Amino acid sequence: MTVAIANCRRCGKLFNRMGRDICPDCVKDEDEKLATIRAYLRQHPLANIYEVANGTDVSYDEIVQFIRDGRLLLRNNPNMVYPCERCGTPTQSGRLCANCAKEMARGLRLGQRPDDRDRNPGFYSKS
């Protein structure tokens, strides 16, 4: 049995890696920040990300990362938007807005060989 030892990507501390790339102390810290953000959003459902960052002492970048990772869902918070990584259009989930995601999916479909489109929906590779 091997033990996976890694450095925490947040604090750099050495820890026994069991699935995540951050140490148990940083996991606890992230969980506390998420609980604080969720509590703030329950009290202020129309707040934007900057207001949440100021009201919770959690940085804008951390809040956006929680959303992109799917750890913070924004169903009832219409003003919690951040820019799409591709075009800059405001979005509420993932890394891309709906239009960019559709364009990228269409581009991937067009990359398939025409005779393979109907029988095997995969990607073409010249290997």
Side-chain angles (χ1 to χ4, degrees):
M1 177 180 192
T2 57
V3 177
I5 302 291
N7 287 81
C8 176
R9 92 176 139 81
R10 285 186 64 208
C11 70
K13 185 170 85 175
L14 197 62
F15 73 106
N16 183 9
R17 183 175 180 184
M18 298 178 72
R20 297 201 49 196
D21 58 352
I22 60 175
C23 69
D25 293 336
C26 289
V27 168
K28 182 180 175 188
D29 182 52
E30 278 190 359
D31 290 343
E32 289 171 358
K33 287 179 180 182
L34 277 167
T36 303
I37 293 167
R38 289 180 182 125
Y40 186 88
L41 286 172
R42 274 192 296 277
Q43 293 178 349
H44 305 92
L46 298 178
N48 64 36
I49 292 181
Y50 295 105
E51 292 168 342
V52 173
N54 288 333
T56 62
D57 292 327
V58 178
S59 74
Y60 172 89
D61 293 329
E62 286 178 301
I63 294 170
V64 170
Q65 195 59 48
F66 288 144
I67 298 167
R68 286 183 175 156
D69 290 345
R71 297 185 68 200
L72 182 61
L73 303 177
L74 304 173
R75 287 183 275 256
N76 300 320
N77 307 100
N79 295 331
M80 292 283 290
V81 295
Y82 56 93
C84 167
E85 285 186 359
R86 186 167 178 243
C87 70
T89 300
T91 187
Q92 276 197 305
S93 65
R95 298 188 174 279
L96 303 173
C97 66
N99 290 335
C100 287
K102 285 178 188 174
E103 278 185 41
M104 290 187 77
R106 185 174 49 242
L108 289 172
R109 280 193 303 275
L110 293 175
Q112 295 176 339
R113 294 186 304 190
D115 57 334
D116 286 345
R117 283 191 190 146
D118 295 327
R119 62 187 163 106
N120 186 8
F123 299 103
Y124 177 67
S125 174
K126 292 184 179 183
S127 47

